[in-house]
Structures are given as structure tokens and as C-alpha cells.
Amino acid sequence: QVQLVESGGGLVQPGGSLRLSCVASGFTFSNAHMSWHRQVPGKERELVAAITSVGDTSYADSVKDRFTISRHNAKNTVYLQMNTLKPEDTAVYYCYAVRWSWGTKYDYWGQGTQVTVSS
């Protein structure tokens, strides 16, 4: 059974930091591309940051130079370090995994963790 379990969300003041974690189980984590997405009510879910199975990273322009995605394959965990947080970063953050097996794509979502940036 595949699971992605996010943690680390919460309330933080503008300019503060949070680190999100996503622990994966039920598939070979090291072979999966991982990413973080976020969504606010009434808007589409958007890609925040991604990391490939070999460690290449990419970021949305809105978070570049503030957020860092990383992975620890031995712990089956992907992280999102968020610094210099702004009120517009407030959203539910979701972990997402994509893997391929015999030409078939499999993808999975976590349940989400709320991040609120407010004074």
C-alpha cells in the first residue's frame, strides 16, 4: 500500500521558516521523481519544487532562492525547506510522487499539510 505522509506545516510569521517532510512507503522511493505542490481555495494546485530520482531540482519562480527541495533516499523522505516566508505562501502543501514501471506511469499524492504565514 502506497503512502505519502506530510508533516511540518503550521503557523509562522512573515519572514520565518518551516521545513516540510514527506515520508513515502509502498514503492521504491529512490526511483521516484518527487515534488511539492500547493493549493489555496478557489485556485488550481501549483507546482512549487521538484527533484528527480538523480537529484536534479527545479522551482517555481515565486519560490526560487527561498525554498529548497531535497531528498534522503535511505529515509524514504523528501523535504521542503521554506525560508523568508510570505503571506502569499499560505496554502495546503502536497507531496507528489511519480514512478514508472514497464512503461506505465504511477503517481501518488499525500494528504496535504497546511502552511499559514501570518502575523
Side-chain angles (χ1 to χ4, degrees):
Q1 181 183 356
V2 172
Q3 279 193 308
L4 297 174
V5 180
E6 301 104 330
S7 62
L11 174 64
V12 63
Q13 292 188 342
S17 298
L18 282 175
R19 188 176 82 154
L20 305 183
S21 300
C22 171
V23 180
S25 60
F27 62 96
T28 304
F29 178 79
S30 60
N31 292 343
H33 296 337
M34 302 297 298
S35 56
W36 288 95
H37 301 246
R38 66 187 181 188
Q39 189 170 25
V40 298
K43 291 191 175 181
E44 290 190 359
R45 195 170 294 187
E46 63 172 354
L47 174 65
V48 175
I51 185 166
T52 69
S53 59
V54 296
D56 295 326
T57 59
S58 58
Y59 298 91
D61 287 343
S62 59
V63 306
K64 208 169 289 185
D65 299 325
R66 298 190 298 123
F67 290 10
T68 302
I69 188 171
S70 61
R71 64 190 298 159
H72 194 309
N73 288 340
K75 294 185 177 181
N76 286 359
T77 303
V78 61
Y79 304 98
L80 185 68
Q81 178 66 45
M82 305 186 294
N83 298 329
T84 319
L85 282 160
K86 304 176 181 180
E88 51 264 42
D89 295 317
T90 296
V92 178
Y93 283 71
Y94 296 91
C95 179
Y96 179 62
V98 179
R99 68 178 183 92
W100 288 265
S101 178
W102 295 98
T104 300
K105 176 184 174 182
Y106 299 88
D107 63 333
Y108 316 101
W109 288 97
Q111 82 287 351
T113 185
Q114 177 71 47
V115 171
T116 302
V117 185
S118 175
S119 55

